[in-house]
Amino acid sequence: MNISELLFIASMITLIVGFVGVVMIIVLGVMDLLHIHLRVYVNRKKYIRNVIILLVAGGLLSTAYLMMK
């Protein structure tokens, strides 16, 4: 495995986790609209910030991968 393959794998993992986070944000929003409450507290600001960080990091890693190709 060379460095470009590792960059590709890391970028895909971070992008997939980021998009799963976006889906979870949408699900939490729909649950709020339907007045369904979880028993656990979710800090939305921190969660959204972490998802944005994951998406930006995945984008930067995939850009680095494409620049190396």
Side-chain angles (χ1 to χ4, degrees):
M1 281 190 128
N2 55 9
I3 192 75
S4 66
E5 291 174 353
L6 291 175
L7 274 174
F8 178 74
I9 292 170
S11 67
M12 288 301 113
I13 289 173
T14 54
L15 285 173
I16 289 170
V17 172
F19 284 122
V20 168
V22 170
V23 170
M24 285 302 297
I25 290 171
I26 293 170
V27 167
L28 287 173
V30 169
M31 287 175 66
D32 266 354
L33 289 175
L34 297 176
H35 300 293
I36 301 171
H37 299 289
L38 297 174
R39 291 185 181 181
V40 295
Y41 174 71
V42 178
N43 188 352
R44 303 257 170 115
K45 285 185 179 179
K46 188 180 259 187
Y47 189 74
I48 291 172
R49 186 194 64 191
N50 291 342
V51 168
I52 290 172
I53 289 170
L54 277 173
L55 290 174
V56 169
L60 290 174
L61 285 171
S62 61
T63 303
Y65 167 73
L66 290 174
M67 301 269 290
M68 289 184 73
K69 276 290 182 178

